[in-house]
Amino acid sequence: MPKINAERLLADQRRLAQFGKYKTGVHRPTFSPQDMEARQWLVAQLTAAGLDAAIDGIGNILGRPRKPGPRLLIGSHSESQNHAGWLDGALGVVYGLEIARAFAEDATCADFPVEVAAFADEEGHFGNFLGSRSFIGDLAEEEIDRSRDHTEGVALRVALERAGLAGRRREQIVPADYIGYLEAHIEQGDYLDRAGLHLGIVTGIVGIWQYRIVFAGEQNHAGTTRMAARKDAGVALVKLCNAIAARFAEITGPRSVWTTGFIRLEPGAPSIVPGGAEMQFQIRDVEVAQLQRFEDALKELVAEADVAGPCRIALESAWKVSPVLMSAPFQEALTQAADHWSPGGAMAMPSAAGHDAQILARKIPAAMLFVPSINGVSHHWTEDTKEEDIALGCQVLADAAESIFRRARG
Amino acid sequence: MPKINAERLLADQRRLAQFGKYKTGVHRPTFSPQDMEARQWLVAQLTAAGLDAAIDGIGNILGRPRKPGPRLLIGSHSESQNHAGWLDGALGVVYGLEIARAFAEDATCADFPVEVAAFADEEGHFGNFLGSRSFIGDLAEEEIDRSRDHTEGVALRVALERAGLAGRRREQIVPADYIGYLEAHIEQGDYLDRAGLHLGIVTGIVGIWQYRIVFAGEQNHAGTTRMAARKDAGVALVKLCNAIAARFAEITGPRSVWTTGFIRLEPGAPSIVPGGAEMQFQIRDVEVAQLQRFEDALKELVAEADVAGPCRIALESAWKVSPVLMSAPFQEALTQAADHWSPGGAMAMPSAAGHDAQILARKIPAAMLFVPSINGVSHHWTEDTKEEDIALGCQVLADAAESIFRRARG
């Protein structure tokens, strides 16, 4: 049974958090100098662990074992959101590194080929799961050509050039070479922390359906236009938001969420009745039926408001990510390992956030393990997880990896 | 009795609308090349009408009579909002020009000193009534130093330099030299047009109280944060907007208006629960008591929502412009002239828009005359007024000016 070294694991987590350190968190946007230094450091650690490690043309790190046979891929992503937490995806990458070392150090597992991945830009500074999509062959050169960093508008091509990655080959998965993919991550919500639990076995990753709702009214003078004569697009938007809030609360599933993340009024001046308005609206659920229930209600509310007037309202589907189920045998392996190391300390749960595992799951069996986020804080520099939970999670993932290998070898 | 020349008047209105022509309207922002060409053309027309005309250091045109005695100032502003109407303030400036000519041509009025003004930037491209405030001595050099064009961010000093106005003296009013100020303008609303009337005698100009409302919640992940655990600043904003809509409708005055012209969510991303939000909210009424009633209700609603949580809400008063009453004798002169030329065709009404007259009224008696806006359209290139109403308004203003002169001279 591979035994992880908790001290070494925590030391590496702490060391990685020095790259782009920001207060008690990190600021390590994709392809920033601090992100590239972190990647170089990871390559060195993976190499020291006996893996053939390199950064590919989209910034993915793959640490490849020199051992024969189907490989188990373990990892996550190492860049961070702006001014965000020290663990997040970095946790899962260092877990991969530590598990590769623990396997190499254990005579009964030393020939199990563990491969470690740190996918680039899971956080979406430039796009949408660029690294893992590149790895499964779902990222065209044209998308790279037109992508830009959302914070500063730097073209992805320029960022790749500056990071020294221009012209490098992008590695692509050969599914038959892999048993599957395991990813650990902080929960990012507070279900585990509130329940006093230590581990989350992810059943599936939520689907995200994203909409743009556009309101067309009539721009007018905010003094001379009588209230009754107005076609105020902002007023129409606010009314619809309220109708959604009331209706969605009635039909919600147990873990459904919906969010208006962006609102804009046109022209957005104090003395002008807004002639146009726009909102971005998102729903998430692990059940397609629930997403459909929400969408049907949304269409109904928009149609009612559009007919009622005085503004015209149009609902556009911006993009849809389908819910993804995690591999049942992998979940079983994780559950057994969790029961062993923390009896009663784990729960099965969906992931309400997107992860590289949902991309990998399109090609190979995939599963995820969560450790608690203290107070559920995520994407903020105060994000944290107890050291004992960090160590526990790594050991459970190592055990699950071992049993997955043994099952694959019959 | 001075007789205006309707053909000459309309020809000049049409000629002025060629500067910055945009579809059937004009695009003539303050100090743009097309605005300066229009001002040069106006100076030439005023000079031809026998006035000493020049552009001063803030862009104001003053066409000064060479005749002795207290002067009657007639005018408005000649720049336009972006892509806006051909008349708006330009109407009142050309009225001033035509009335100066009509007086000069009428033996019984030829010694009445009519002065014509085209104030700069009433539309507020760079600030707030820059021209008329400069003229009454309420514009400090420091404000000029820090003002910028709202569309492109060009510093006012740079714009003045480019317009060739840097270093010129700014003219200031000597109140004792004036009988008062008359301004004509399109109504910008649809009261006259809906009532089938031709003239509006302005009783007062509305007060505008402007607020900034700031919502502080907790930024979080839009997937992993349960609905019940959220402190969504955007949701708090939408709720308050609805509460305002319901409450204000109950306590509104006959012509009150309120407008949310700007909304911003922080950080404004699809997958992030907004941690902050801001809205700009404005109320207008000609009665201070009504404005106060609204403010009291607003304070109450904000306090209730703040206490109820989960977001903190702060109400800030951004600025207040007090309502201004128009001169009663001037209104009487306008009403008599209107009754003569258009029996039953005029109504008394407040102005729901701000005008240079409210600035001038701080120093000298002031009054305003409105002509109808077809369908109430304003600040849009489709703005228009019937030719016969344009001509009628100018004649009525001329008659009122004559009777104001005669009354002033006893």
Side-chain angles (χ1 to χ4, degrees):
Chain A
M1 186 178 283
K3 186 76 191 73
I4 66 111
N5 179 333
E7 266 177 49
R8 183 172 59 187
L9 167 71
L10 287 163
D12 281 349
Q13 296 282 13
R14 297 278 175 207
R15 176 67 192 92
L16 182 51
Q18 291 300 310
F19 297 100
K21 183 173 167 60
Y22 174 80
K23 299 187 181 177
T24 62
V26 295
H27 178 63
R28 209 159 61 213
T30 313
F31 306 136
S32 61
Q34 56 271 32
D35 175 47
M36 291 311 296
E37 285 168 26
R39 285 182 201 272
Q40 299 295 357
W41 178 86
L42 279 167
V43 166
Q45 307 317 302
L46 293 167
T47 304
L51 300 167
D52 286 333
I55 306 176
D56 84 348
I58 195 69
N60 287 340
I61 301 173
L62 288 168
R64 293 189 143 157
R66 300 194 192 100
K67 302 157 192 168
R71 312 194 289 268
L72 184 62
L73 185 64
I74 305 180
S76 187
H77 63 93
S78 60
E79 83 284 340
S80 79
Q81 285 280 0
N82 294 331
H83 309 107
W86 70 292
L87 294 167
D88 202 282
L91 175 107
V93 174
V94 181
Y95 275 19
L97 166 64
E98 178 55 26
I99 290 171
R101 291 187 296 219
F103 270 56
E105 289 160 4
D106 183 298
T108 72
C109 300
D111 66 331
F112 291 168
V114 171
E115 180 167 322
V116 181
F119 293 110
D121 205 37
E122 190 270 350
E123 294 293 2
H125 288 278
F126 289 87
N128 206 357
F129 298 108
L130 286 185
S132 47
R133 282 174 51 228
S134 171
F135 188 58
I136 69 157
D138 182 36
L139 179 67
E141 292 293 322
E142 293 68 40
E143 183 174 340
I144 298 179
D145 290 341
R146 66 170 185 264
S147 295
R148 292 182 168 274
D149 164 29
H150 301 312
T151 305
E152 306 195 337
V154 176
L156 177 51
R157 289 285 181 206
V158 172
L160 287 168
E161 177 78 41
R162 287 182 189 160
L165 301 176
R168 288 200 198 182
R169 200 166 68 90
R170 292 194 277 133
E171 297 291 332
Q172 279 205 18
I173 195 170
V174 179
D177 290 351
Y178 292 90
I179 301 170
Y181 174 65
L182 286 181
E183 178 170 2
H185 204 280
I186 59 163
E187 182 200 336
Q188 305 187 268
D190 68 354
Y191 282 96
L192 293 175
D193 194 44
R194 280 199 310 149
L197 296 175
H198 307 289
L199 299 159
I201 316 296
V202 178
T203 54
I205 298 176
V206 292
I208 309 177
W209 291 9
Q210 180 75 37
Y211 303 90
R212 184 165 170 264
I213 310 178
V214 179
F215 303 75
E218 201 171 276
Q219 181 174 324
N220 239 315
H221 191 293
T224 55
T225 317
R226 292 172 298 121
M227 297 307 286
R230 294 185 179 197
K231 296 180 182 179
D232 185 324
V235 167
L237 181 148
V238 162
K239 271 191 192 168
L240 184 73
C241 284
N242 266 276
I244 291 172
R247 188 70 200 287
F248 275 41
E250 293 167 7
I251 61 172
T252 184
R255 283 173 179 258
S256 314
V257 289
W258 55 95
T259 307
T260 301
F262 177 85
I263 291 176
R264 192 168 54 92
L265 305 187
E266 268 295 326
S271 292
I272 303 182
V273 176
E278 179 192 342
M279 61 185 268
Q280 288 175 17
F281 184 69
Q282 181 183 97
I283 55 181
R284 294 192 188 210
D285 204 282
V286 80
E287 303 282 350
V288 171
Q290 179 62 44
L291 291 167
Q292 195 56 57
R293 203 149 38 235
F294 278 151
E295 183 174 281
D296 292 345
L298 186 60
K299 281 182 178 167
E300 218 174 278
L301 292 171
V302 167
E304 279 168 20
D306 180 54
V307 168
C311 297
R312 303 306 314 264
I313 312 182
L315 174 68
E316 298 168 13
S317 172
W319 44 267
K320 291 188 177 186
V321 174
S322 299
V324 172
L325 288 181
M326 297 288 92
S327 152
F330 285 15
Q331 286 184 60
E332 202 183 302
L334 286 164
T335 305
Q336 279 171 8
D339 285 348
H340 178 77
W341 289 101
S342 178
M347 70 187 285
M349 63 189 301
S351 169
H355 293 288
D356 290 313
Q358 79 197 57
I359 307 298
L360 273 294
R362 295 192 215 158
K363 297 289 179 183
I364 56 177
M368 288 193 76
L369 179 70
F370 281 168
V371 295
S373 297
I374 295 172
N375 296 322
V377 175
S378 169
H379 289 180
H380 191 272
W381 56 268
T382 56
E383 167 232 288
D384 204 7
T385 299
K386 285 181 193 154
E387 291 196 343
E388 54 265 38
D389 286 335
I390 296 175
L392 173 67
C394 191
Q395 185 61 59
V396 167
L397 198 70
D399 277 26
E402 185 197 12
S403 84
I404 288 166
F405 267 119
R406 293 201 189 282
R407 196 173 309 182
R409 297 192 167 196
Chain B
M1 186 178 283
K3 187 73 190 72
I4 66 113
N5 179 333
E7 265 176 50
R8 181 172 59 185
L9 167 71
L10 287 164
D12 281 349
Q13 296 283 12
R14 296 278 174 207
R15 176 66 191 94
L16 182 50
Q18 291 300 311
F19 296 101
K21 182 172 169 61
Y22 174 79
K23 298 186 182 178
T24 62
V26 296
H27 178 64
R28 208 159 61 212
T30 314
F31 306 137
S32 61
Q34 57 271 33
D35 174 48
M36 292 311 297
E37 284 168 28
R39 285 182 203 274
Q40 299 295 357
W41 178 84
L42 279 167
V43 166
Q45 307 318 303
L46 292 167
T47 305
L51 300 168
D52 286 333
I55 306 176
D56 84 347
I58 196 68
N60 287 339
I61 301 173
L62 288 166
R64 294 190 143 155
R66 302 194 190 98
K67 302 157 193 170
R71 312 194 288 269
L72 184 62
L73 186 64
I74 305 180
S76 187
H77 63 92
S78 60
E79 82 283 340
S80 78
Q81 286 279 0
N82 295 331
H83 310 106
W86 70 293
L87 294 166
D88 202 281
L91 175 106
V93 174
V94 180
Y95 274 18
L97 166 64
E98 177 57 25
I99 290 170
R101 292 187 295 220
F103 271 57
E105 289 161 6
D106 183 298
T108 73
C109 301
D111 67 330
F112 291 167
V114 171
E115 180 167 324
V116 181
F119 294 111
D121 205 36
E122 190 268 352
E123 294 293 3
H125 288 277
F126 289 87
N128 206 357
F129 298 108
L130 285 183
S132 47
R133 283 174 50 226
S134 171
F135 187 58
I136 69 156
D138 182 37
L139 178 67
E141 292 293 322
E142 293 69 38
E143 184 174 340
I144 299 179
D145 290 341
R146 66 169 186 266
S147 295
R148 290 181 170 275
D149 163 28
H150 302 312
T151 306
E152 305 197 337
V154 175
L156 177 51
R157 289 285 182 207
V158 172
L160 287 168
E161 178 77 40
R162 287 182 190 160
L165 300 177
R168 289 201 195 180
R169 201 165 69 90
R170 293 193 277 132
E171 297 293 332
Q172 278 204 18
I173 194 170
V174 179
D177 290 352
Y178 293 90
I179 301 170
Y181 175 64
L182 285 182
E183 179 171 1
H185 203 280
I186 59 162
E187 181 200 337
Q188 304 187 271
D190 68 355
Y191 282 96
L192 293 176
D193 194 45
R194 279 199 311 148
L197 296 175
H198 306 289
L199 299 159
I201 317 294
V202 178
T203 54
I205 299 177
V206 292
I208 309 178
W209 292 8
Q210 180 75 36
Y211 304 89
R212 184 166 170 263
I213 311 178
V214 180
F215 303 76
E218 201 171 274
Q219 181 175 324
N220 239 315
H221 191 291
T224 57
T225 317
R226 291 172 296 121
M227 297 306 286
R230 294 186 178 194
K231 297 180 183 177
D232 185 322
V235 167
L237 181 148
V238 162
K239 272 190 192 169
L240 184 72
C241 284
N242 267 275
I244 291 171
R247 188 69 198 288
F248 275 41
E250 292 167 9
I251 60 173
T252 184
R255 282 173 181 259
S256 315
V257 289
W258 56 94
T259 307
T260 300
F262 177 85
I263 291 177
R264 192 168 54 93
L265 305 187
E266 268 294 324
S271 292
I272 303 182
V273 176
E278 179 192 343
M279 60 185 267
Q280 288 175 18
F281 184 68
Q282 181 184 98
I283 55 182
R284 295 192 187 210
D285 203 281
V286 80
E287 302 282 349
V288 171
Q290 180 62 42
L291 291 166
Q292 194 58 55
R293 203 151 37 237
F294 278 151
E295 182 173 283
D296 292 345
L298 187 60
K299 281 182 177 166
E300 218 174 277
L301 292 170
V302 167
E304 280 168 19
D306 180 55
V307 167
C311 296
R312 303 305 314 266
I313 311 182
L315 174 67
E316 298 167 15
S317 172
W319 44 267
K320 292 188 177 186
V321 173
S322 299
V324 172
L325 289 182
M326 297 288 91
S327 153
F330 285 15
Q331 285 184 60
E332 204 183 300
L334 286 164
T335 305
Q336 278 171 9
D339 284 347
H340 177 76
W341 290 101
S342 179
M347 71 187 284
M349 62 188 302
S351 169
H355 291 289
D356 290 314
Q358 77 197 59
I359 307 299
L360 273 294
R362 295 192 214 158
K363 298 288 178 185
I364 56 177
M368 289 194 75
L369 179 71
F370 281 167
V371 294
S373 297
I374 295 172
N375 295 322
V377 175
S378 169
H379 288 179
H380 191 275
W381 55 268
T382 55
E383 168 230 288
D384 203 6
T385 299
K386 286 181 192 153
E387 292 195 343
E388 55 265 38
D389 286 335
I390 296 175
L392 172 67
C394 191
Q395 184 60 60
V396 167
L397 199 70
D399 277 25
E402 184 197 14
S403 84
I404 288 166
F405 267 118
R406 296 204 188 279
R407 196 173 311 181
R409 299 193 165 193

